[in-house]
Amino acid sequence: MTQETSSTVPTSGNAGKAETSSCCCSAGREAALQAPACGTPAAGHLNAPEAEDFHEGETGAASSLPQLQGSGRAETGTESDTPAAASADPKEDSPAHTGSATERFHSSAAQQEPSLAEHSARPDPSQWPIIPEGTYILGTDDGEGFASDAEGPARPVYIPAFRISPYAVTNAEFAAFVQATGYVTEAEKFGWSYVFQLLIPDPQQVKIVGSPERTPWWLGVEGSTWREPEGPGSGIGDRMDHPVVHVSWNDAAAYCAWAGVRLPNEVEWEAAARGGLERKRYPWGDVLRPGGEHRCNIWQGVFPTKNHASDGYLGTAPVDAYLPNGYGLYNMSGNVWEWCGDWFTSDPAQRGSSDRPEGPAQGNARLMKGGSYLCHQSYCNRYRVAARSGNTPDSSTGNIGFRVVADL
């Protein structure tokens, strides 16, 4: 297991945000207690609607930041948004739920998982959208991009046609894999995984094995796994249609081997995420909330202490939440980070040629795309389609999942 490195040098295009390849998303297992600081929230770079979002949050979930110095394994984060958290929160406008987003989240977390025997089918790629063969403009020259992440320059890339799942792999689908194979995830083997501090109902009731010194909102919770995302006593009974989390890259690869599919490489993922649009910031265009409408599950409020969850979710959302992109794909921005098949590199020259590139042949971290429910423009801003990050292959957190593809 290797330590992931990152930098914290602000860029001119992202004033107020610390630039790093790994800090809000998840941390390498060996290095979490020394994780670098992620972005420091700052409203100076926000436009008017986003600045309002940034300063709001007085009615949202709030928590003090415990200054913990744990022992044992710990994860460093990518500036995506973990060492992590996992969980779902029902939509605020649902008549079935009352009270604050925090109360609804915590009440749902206690529900138990249905029998794994209820879920037994492998995925059927024949029904998935086809991303057509062609040359796509990938990467970005946008000032919002992070140069140290090798987001740019924008470049043409030829990609053969392939199929991609419209959704991230769900708890139900991962349960089918576990039921069929008896697979044990790396978080289960290690005995703990990272949970975002606002998602733990009572930190005194769980055993916390450590916390990154400079990102104390991440708590290493003993017993947190894909089945119990916030630790013992939590569950996924009402989240079977949410993305599975607390799964490492190695866990995702094991699922793919069973299901007869594979992880997308970066260029496939990004071409699919763009939904047929070219040089746009998000899967739907350049405006984060067109007409004031939420299009993805990200942080609203003041990171990391208050999230008023105006998009309806404090943690994960169902995999089919929000509108799909032009290819019929859901949640390509926000919700959970998605593992890709490539090794991560911060050197643009190592991203590969313009013909079916697959990135570097080796590395210390695997690539992730998409951002998560913890991303905010003031802090992470990696829910843009060109954004990228990486994490060690054995890392698992509550905001990392995966999506799969199939060859034609």
Side-chain angles (χ1 to χ4, degrees):
M1 295 177 285
T2 56
Q3 178 171 344
E4 185 178 75
T5 60
S6 62
S7 63
T8 55
V9 181
T11 63
S12 59
N14 287 278
K17 294 195 301 294
E19 181 174 3
T20 166
S21 66
S22 73
C23 118
C24 42
C25 170
S26 165
R29 271 217 183 260
E30 294 289 353
L33 300 184
Q34 292 77 41
C38 288
T40 300
H45 186 61
L46 308 182
N47 61 31
E50 289 160 339
E52 179 183 24
D53 221 14
F54 176 66
H55 288 298
E56 287 174 355
E58 279 59 37
T59 61
S63 172
S64 60
L65 302 183
Q67 302 297 320
L68 300 175
Q69 296 299 318
S71 60
R73 292 173 299 276
E75 312 190 29
T76 63
T78 43
E79 181 146 348
S80 346
D81 43 5
T82 53
S87 233
D89 182 43
K91 289 186 177 179
E92 287 193 341
D93 59 0
S94 171
H97 301 279
T98 60
S100 70
T102 311
E103 291 169 342
R104 293 197 307 276
F105 171 81
H106 289 155
S107 65
S108 69
Q111 299 199 22
Q112 297 303 304
E113 175 192 352
S115 168
L116 296 185
E118 297 178 17
H119 313 284
S120 59
R122 283 181 169 86
D124 179 11
S126 68
Q127 303 304 309
W128 295 351
I130 295 176
I131 307 304
E133 173 187 14
T135 297
Y136 297 82
I137 303 298
L138 305 181
T140 185
D141 297 316
D142 190 339
E144 288 287 305
F146 290 100
S148 68
D149 286 351
E151 290 187 28
R155 67 207 188 280
V157 176
Y158 168 76
I159 305 172
F162 62 98
R163 290 187 183 273
I164 184 169
S165 172
Y167 319 111
V169 172
T170 65
N171 283 315
E173 290 170 324
F174 199 79
F177 162 57
V178 170
Q179 172 68 17
T181 64
Y183 184 81
V184 178
T185 63
E186 293 196 291
E188 292 170 289
K189 293 175 183 176
F190 286 125
W192 66 274
S193 190
Y194 267 109
V195 180
F196 184 69
Q197 49 114 7
L198 292 190
L199 301 186
I200 302 175
D202 184 357
Q204 303 303 315
Q205 298 301 311
V206 295
K207 183 175 180 180
I208 297 171
V209 301
S211 178
E213 181 178 3
R214 298 181 66 186
T215 53
W217 45 87
W218 287 116
L219 305 180
V221 176
E222 188 172 285
S224 56
T225 69
W226 72 275
R227 286 189 180 94
E228 298 180 292
E230 296 77 54
S234 64
I236 56 173
D238 63 346
R239 302 184 220 171
M240 299 308 284
D241 62 344
H242 286 234
V244 64
V245 291
H246 294 294
V247 287
S248 69
W249 187 94
N250 296 322
D251 297 331
Y255 173 91
C256 288
W258 168 77
V261 294
R262 60 180 175 83
L263 292 172
N265 58 47
E266 179 180 17
V267 295
E268 289 173 330
W269 191 100
E270 187 174 328
R274 292 185 178 277
L277 302 179
E278 193 170 283
R279 298 181 185 270
K280 297 298 182 181
R281 189 171 292 176
Y282 308 111
W284 54 86
D286 285 327
V287 178
L288 179 59
R289 290 185 299 176
E293 179 185 5
H294 289 290
R295 293 293 185 92
C296 59
N297 178 19
I298 56 177
W299 185 278
Q300 294 93 40
V302 181
F303 189 88
T305 56
K306 292 184 179 181
N307 184 354
H308 54 73
S310 62
D311 62 1
Y313 302 98
L314 184 64
T316 56
V319 295
D320 60 352
Y322 307 101
L323 295 173
N325 72 3
Y327 290 141
L329 310 180
Y330 293 80
N331 292 330
M332 300 302 285
S333 286
N335 212 21
V336 295
W337 281 91
E338 297 183 6
W339 289 114
C340 291
D342 316 54
W343 290 103
F344 177 83
T345 178
S346 58
D347 180 358
Q350 294 183 2
R351 291 180 308 185
S353 70
S354 61
D355 185 1
R356 315 176 209 204
E358 296 183 354
Q362 58 186 1
N364 295 324
R366 290 290 186 174
L367 194 136
M368 302 182 299
K369 296 281 285 185
S372 87
Y373 57 84
L374 294 177
C375 276
H376 188 279
Q377 188 181 19
S378 69
Y379 165 68
C380 164
N381 198 22
R382 284 175 170 83
Y383 42 86
R384 297 167 292 103
V385 289
R388 56 204 307 274
S389 191
N391 212 344
T392 56
D394 61 352
S395 292
S396 63
T397 68
N399 67 340
I400 303 179
F402 66 104
R403 183 184 307 254
V404 295
V405 301
D407 296 315
L408 292 176

